[in-house]
Amino acid sequence: MSDVKNSVIEVRGLKKSYGKLEVLKGIDLTVNQGEVVALLGPSGSGKTTLLRCLNFLEKANTGILRIEDETVDLRKVSTKQMLILRRKTAMVFQNYDLFLNKTALENVTEGLIVARKVPRAEAIARAEAVLNKVGLSAKLNSRPHELSGGEQQRVGIARALAVNPAVLLFDEPTSALDPEKVNEILDIIRSVAETGVTMIVVTHEMEFAYDVAGTVVFMEAGEIVEQGNPKQVFGSPRQERTKQFLSRFTTTKRPEYFI
Ligand SMILES: Nc1ncnc2c1ncn2[C@@H]1O[C@H](COP(=O)(O)OP(=O)(O)O)[C@@H](O)[C@H]1O
Ligand SMILES: [Mg+2]
């Protein structure tokens, strides 16, 4: 592991297979404090699997992972190390993944009380604060079926923010939403980014990636093909595969972003 100053998360040689299918073929990635990384790539390239390995929802086969000052060899990570590292990240899912029988408030407090042993009163205060931050203070007692998709995802974001993670992981947070709701969620993510939270965002929203990300990472077939600042990656991609992928997203709205 290098000791790059201010890097919050460092991944080296991360590999993951499902049976014979090697889904991640040796991922190296460093994310600095307060940096927003946009992770792009075609469906099936391994983006979700990478986030899930970083959050220990999946167990990687090999690799080294450091988050803040905790480093583990993923081949032989102990349960204790895994719990320490898992608590340093929080994930926002494509399909929200809320408890359907719990209110917005309870969806946020649950993880705090059960997994993190935060006292109930403090958990409730923290949940109210983050739900307020995402504009949901009027819906604290609503259950998911009483909320729109956009509101459900706001609960998902509040739940992730409530644990004060070192790194926030977003897996296509707007892809299940109606088009008119996409921007309201992107605006919330943008405002969270502006508060200096370190994040990795898997997204197909290219304008958002261009505007908000400090680094764009393009993945294909389980490998990082190219990474750089948005201007470079969008404006003059070095790799043919990146060029081909991005050409599908050429926009008439802001053509100056794209090749
Ligand atoms: N639990 C699983 N079991 C077997 N194969 C899986 C599993 N999860 C993902 N895969 C496979 O891994 C590859 C990468 O999937 P994924 O990480 O979901 O890609 P992306 O998020 O980029 O679309 C795909 O080929 C997918 O079918
Ligand atoms: Mg995915």
Side-chain angles (χ1 to χ4, degrees):
M1 292 266 104
S2 70
D3 57 355
V4 181
K5 281 268 176 338
N6 297 325
S7 74
V8 176
I9 182 162
E10 242 190 304
V11 185
R12 291 291 169 261
L14 187 151
K15 294 187 181 179
K16 171 69 181 171
S17 297
Y18 291 110
K20 284 190 189 139
L21 180 68
E22 191 172 44
V23 173
L24 299 173
K25 299 175 180 167
I27 299 291
D28 296 321
L29 183 66
T30 302
V31 185
N32 291 326
Q33 176 69 50
E35 186 178 18
V36 176
V37 169
L39 184 56
L40 316 179
S43 175
S45 56
K47 306 177 301 293
T48 295
T49 305
L50 176 57
L51 293 192
R52 292 175 65 86
C53 286
L54 298 180
N55 195 25
F56 292 94
L57 289 169
E58 294 288 346
K59 209 175 164 308
N61 300 107
T62 59
I64 306 284
L65 172 63
R66 177 176 65 75
I67 305 179
E68 294 182 315
D69 52 4
E70 193 72 26
T71 304
V72 294
D73 180 341
L74 294 167
R75 202 188 326 227
K76 50 184 185 193
V77 56
S78 69
T79 306
K80 190 175 163 215
Q81 286 176 314
M82 199 180 77
L83 286 174
I84 292 170
L85 280 178
R86 185 180 275 161
R87 286 188 190 150
K88 291 179 181 290
T89 64
M91 186 114 153
V92 175
F93 300 89
Q94 191 171 359
N95 295 310
Y96 330 128
D97 274 27
L98 303 179
F99 295 112
L100 300 180
N101 58 343
K102 291 189 190 296
T103 65
L105 186 83
E106 289 163 348
N107 265 284
V108 179
T109 56
E110 180 77 7
L112 294 173
I113 294 168
V114 176
R116 302 189 189 225
K117 312 292 178 214
V118 175
R120 176 171 293 272
E122 188 191 328
I124 290 171
R126 267 161 74 172
E128 285 176 352
V130 285
L131 284 162
N132 184 33
K133 210 182 241 181
V134 299
L136 277 187
S137 39
K139 306 266 176 160
L140 299 182
N141 296 314
S142 301
R143 292 177 208 283
H145 74 272
E146 300 165 310
L147 298 170
S148 70
E151 288 168 338
Q152 290 182 57
Q153 190 57 300
R154 289 199 237 175
V155 176
I157 293 170
R159 175 178 59 186
L161 283 175
V163 303
N164 253 325
V167 186
L168 201 42
L169 308 170
F170 291 88
D171 191 8
E172 296 195 34
T174 63
S175 62
L177 296 174
D178 295 335
E180 71 272 17
K181 298 290 171 136
V182 168
N183 280 332
E184 82 178 41
I185 294 301
L186 293 178
D187 286 346
I188 289 172
I189 298 172
R190 189 187 303 254
S191 68
V192 172
E194 282 165 1
T195 66
V197 178
T198 308
M199 50 175 83
I200 303 176
V201 188
V202 174
T203 185
H204 294 296
E205 297 293 333
M206 296 298 156
E207 293 183 19
F208 171 82
Y210 188 94
D211 287 340
V212 179
T215 302
V216 171
V217 173
F218 173 64
M219 249 180 99
E220 194 184 54
E223 294 174 310
I224 292 179
V225 173
E226 175 159 4
Q227 59 177 299
N229 70 51
K231 218 171 177 157
Q232 182 261 307
V233 175
F234 287 118
S236 46
R238 297 192 177 100
Q239 304 297 329
E240 193 53 39
R241 287 192 282 172
T242 317
K243 215 175 272 184
Q244 273 172 14
F245 175 76
L246 290 175
S247 66
R248 283 193 257 146
F249 291 94
T250 303
T251 164
T252 47
K253 222 169 14 165
R254 317 234 345 227
E256 71 275 16
Y257 288 179
F258 297 90
I259 42 178

